[in-house]
Amino acid sequence: MNRFARPGLPAAWLFALSCVASAHAYAHGPTPQKIDESVEIAAPPAKVWTLVGDFEHFEAWNPRVKSSTADKGNSTGSTRRLTLDSGGTVTEQLDEISATEMSMSYRSGREVDPKVLAVSSYSVRLKVIPTASGSRLEWKARAYRADTGNEPAAGMDDAAAVRSLQELIQPALARAKSSLEGK
């Protein structure tokens, strides 16, 4: 008998590898959820940007936001505090803004109250794009659910994260369209 051969060793290795692979598959945690919303607006891009490009005054075009303040206005690094119609508050930080490109990127503050938004964190890219009939206002977010464990609680799962951000931005897009189109 070969002195290096050990009966059952390949089977033991295969079993150990399958256990590690199975554990890894169940321990992956949450994946970022995509929330991509947009609206076509029959208005010139510059006019759309004038409304939506003001980081400090989100309440001007979002009916869900009762007040909005930003410590540094439209400067990179500015932190804004939103008070929502529900009474809850959200903090966001401006990462980048470009009037030339008519775009801005911002993200949630360090802690998001899951009673206010069912997310643990999110990042957003807002952009105005010229079209043949005026403009397209795009709002693209990536978010992690509020419960980042492997078995999220009801209302704190991926679907709740997507729904809570859609409920925040869809009224804003509709308001931007109606106010800019004069309807």
Side-chain angles (χ1 to χ4, degrees):
M1 179 171 172
N2 181 335
R3 67 183 182 146
F4 296 107
R6 295 201 167 105
L9 187 59
W13 273 103
L14 287 175
F15 176 74
L17 285 174
S18 69
C19 288
V20 169
S22 295
H24 180 71
Y26 288 106
H28 64 80
T31 56
Q33 299 302 299
K34 294 179 181 181
I35 304 98
D36 294 349
E37 300 288 333
S38 66
V39 64
E40 298 290 324
I41 301 174
K47 188 174 180 183
V48 176
W49 180 250
T50 298
L51 176 64
V52 304
D54 185 354
F55 183 69
E56 184 170 5
H57 296 288
F58 197 21
E59 83 285 351
W61 62 284
N62 190 333
R64 295 263 344 263
V65 177
K66 294 305 169 199
S67 69
S68 176
T69 59
D71 64 353
K72 298 175 190 161
N74 273 10
S75 298
T76 300
S78 183
T79 298
R80 76 177 170 192
R81 182 178 172 96
L82 307 175
T83 301
L84 304 182
D85 55 359
S86 65
T89 60
V90 177
T91 303
E92 298 175 329
Q93 184 171 6
L94 182 61
D95 291 326
E96 149 185 292
I97 188 163
S98 172
T100 306
E101 295 177 15
M102 292 183 281
S103 69
M104 75 170 73
S105 297
Y106 58 92
R107 60 188 151 89
S108 62
R110 292 186 188 268
E111 293 187 26
V112 179
D113 183 348
K115 294 177 190 136
V116 177
L117 293 175
V119 299
S120 60
S121 67
Y122 60 91
S123 60
V124 173
R125 171 69 127 190
L126 177 79
K127 186 162 182 64
V128 178
I129 299 167
T131 65
S133 60
S135 307
R136 182 172 64 250
L137 175 55
E138 293 184 343
W139 186 89
K140 295 183 176 194
R142 301 300 174 259
Y144 287 95
R145 65 184 180 234
D147 183 342
T148 58
N150 288 334
E151 301 290 330
M156 297 178 74
D157 56 8
D158 290 338
V162 170
R163 187 173 47 256
S164 71
L165 287 176
Q166 285 174 326
E167 289 170 355
L168 176 64
I169 199 58
Q170 287 174 346
L173 297 176
R175 166 78 58 85
K177 179 178 177 67
S178 65
S179 65
L180 289 165
E181 291 180 351
K183 297 178 182 177

